[in-house]
Amino acid sequence: MIEIDSITKRYGDTTVVDNVSMTIAPHTITVIVGTSGSGKTTLMRMINRLVEPTSGEVRIDGAPNSVIPGHELRRRIGYAIQGHGLFPHRTVAENIATVPTLLGWEKGRIEAKVKELLSLFQLDPTAFGPRYPHELSGGQQQRVGVARALAAEPNILLMDEPFGALDPVIRAKAQDDLLAIQKHFGTTIVLVTHDMEEAFHLADRIAVMDKGRIVQHAAPEEMLVNPATDFVETLIGAGERPLRLLSIGTVGDATENGTAEGEPLAAEVSQRDALSALLWSGREALPVVGPDGAPIGRVTLAGLARRAARPQ
């Protein structure tokens, strides 16, 4: 658990983070959003003390982070940034092994961890381990950057606009990779982004910052249904709210009894994608299949419309 307790950061007369308190549950993804200059990156960097607070305290599993030497704290907390930050003259394997090597892991354990992470990110260890960053695509570099941040098996992973430099197709794949990796390791992730689409796709909870303060910290659905301020409502986008509601639910949650003709939809796809498929096919309903490919029901246009409507 991460407890942020009355944290403030000032630079001279300028208050960048203003008396922020927030609790982040373990094994969850919290996304911090806001406009440029709202203080979101500064807030996140006070968790691993890359920025020292002016006042207030951050506690990790009940212990103040101030009692841990900074370099030790940062070895225990993964950190991934936009543009990956890989060392250009080290191979992929050497990049991933950076923190485990500093921690004095045995060679065999390091090699096993590098192989495991490359495999998890669908990068063949034999082919990609010996390569250098300039030999990789942007998406591959970003995956290696996240793998490096996870190499020492941190309980916490901080991510600052990690996918901002990627094109939309690669970005979507990187986001799905992150969700799979988080589920695999149970890591507590704090991610900063300005992209609301990304926030709603990834987050268990979203924290909205404005002028250095948290103006709302809530689950995505709660934020969509009950935005706390006009600023939050504007950030969400009033016209996007029905589609965002559908984007955070799966077809499995919207499956009804019955059968339908047409191309079946997997239960794990989003309700927004199901709506798109229904509209494109011109059908009122499509069949839904489970992980084993067996039919489990159908999803209907009318049912999705009810789910996208403003709650009464």
Side-chain angles (χ1 to χ4, degrees):
M1 186 185 337
I2 304 169
E3 297 169 281
I4 297 170
D5 187 359
S6 303
I7 279 287
T8 294
K9 180 62 183 179
R10 297 189 187 91
Y11 293 101
D13 295 331
T14 303
T15 301
V16 180
V17 174
D18 188 4
N19 194 34
V20 167
S21 294
M22 178 171 64
T23 298
I24 296 170
H27 318 304
T28 62
I29 300 178
T30 293
V31 178
I32 305 174
V33 298
T35 55
S36 296
S38 59
K40 53 190 186 295
T41 292
T42 301
L43 175 64
M44 186 186 70
R45 286 162 65 95
M46 284 191 280
I47 295 173
N48 66 353
R49 290 178 55 205
L50 281 171
V51 173
E52 296 285 357
T54 304
S55 62
E57 184 175 75
V58 175
R59 294 183 294 275
I60 298 172
D61 290 335
N65 69 352
S66 58
V67 304
I68 306 167
H71 66 282
E72 287 185 22
L73 182 72
R74 287 186 282 276
R75 289 177 186 176
R76 290 165 46 179
I77 298 176
Y79 187 52
I81 60 174
Q82 179 176 323
H84 57 74
L86 298 177
F87 300 114
H89 302 301
R90 293 184 185 178
T91 66
V92 165
E94 289 167 345
N95 265 282
I96 296 173
T98 300
V99 176
T101 301
L102 288 171
L103 294 175
W105 285 19
E106 294 180 356
K107 183 178 179 181
R109 184 184 176 192
I110 292 174
E111 290 175 350
K113 178 56 65 175
V114 170
K115 184 176 180 180
E116 176 194 6
L117 286 166
L118 285 173
S119 298
L120 279 170
F121 280 101
Q122 300 171 27
L123 298 170
D124 178 18
T126 303
F128 285 91
R131 294 187 189 179
Y132 287 87
H134 73 271
E135 298 176 295
L136 307 180
S137 68
Q140 290 166 345
Q141 290 176 2
Q142 195 64 54
R143 278 185 272 174
V144 172
V146 177
R148 184 179 62 181
L150 290 167
E153 302 173 357
N155 291 325
I156 297 169
L157 174 61
L158 308 180
M159 309 186 80
D160 191 1
E161 298 276 8
F163 311 128
L166 303 180
D167 69 57
V169 173
I170 296 173
R171 184 173 187 147
K173 176 66 169 65
Q175 291 168 357
D176 289 341
D177 280 346
L178 180 65
L179 288 172
I181 294 297
Q182 193 270 342
K183 186 175 182 180
H184 179 86
F185 287 110
T187 312
T188 302
I189 295 177
V190 182
L191 185 148
V192 164
T193 185
H194 66 276
D195 185 332
M196 292 303 297
E197 195 76 28
E198 184 165 85
F200 281 101
H201 181 51
L202 295 175
D204 294 299
R205 291 179 71 82
I206 298 172
V208 179
M209 292 195 72
D210 183 29
K211 299 174 184 176
R213 289 180 171 268
I214 297 283
V215 293
Q216 189 166 11
H217 179 214
E221 185 172 0
E222 168 66 19
M223 189 168 288
L224 286 166
V225 174
N226 296 305
T229 66
D230 291 342
F231 174 76
V232 175
E233 188 164 5
T234 300
L235 203 63
I236 292 169
E240 294 289 323
R241 284 164 74 176
L243 293 177
R244 292 201 196 281
L245 270 172
L246 293 180
S247 73
I248 61 178
T250 66
V251 169
D253 297 329
T255 299
E256 304 172 13
N257 293 328
T259 60
E261 299 295 322
E263 186 72 24
L265 296 169
E268 65 267 20
V269 305
S270 75
Q271 294 169 20
R272 182 173 181 168
D273 287 345
L275 176 65
S276 178
L278 284 162
L279 293 172
W280 188 253
S281 66
R283 296 181 182 274
E284 296 293 322
L286 283 171
V288 179
V289 295
D292 59 356
I296 60 173
R298 64 177 187 165
V299 64
T300 67
L301 202 55
L304 292 177
R306 287 193 298 272
R307 287 174 174 271
R310 184 187 186 96
Q312 300 302 312

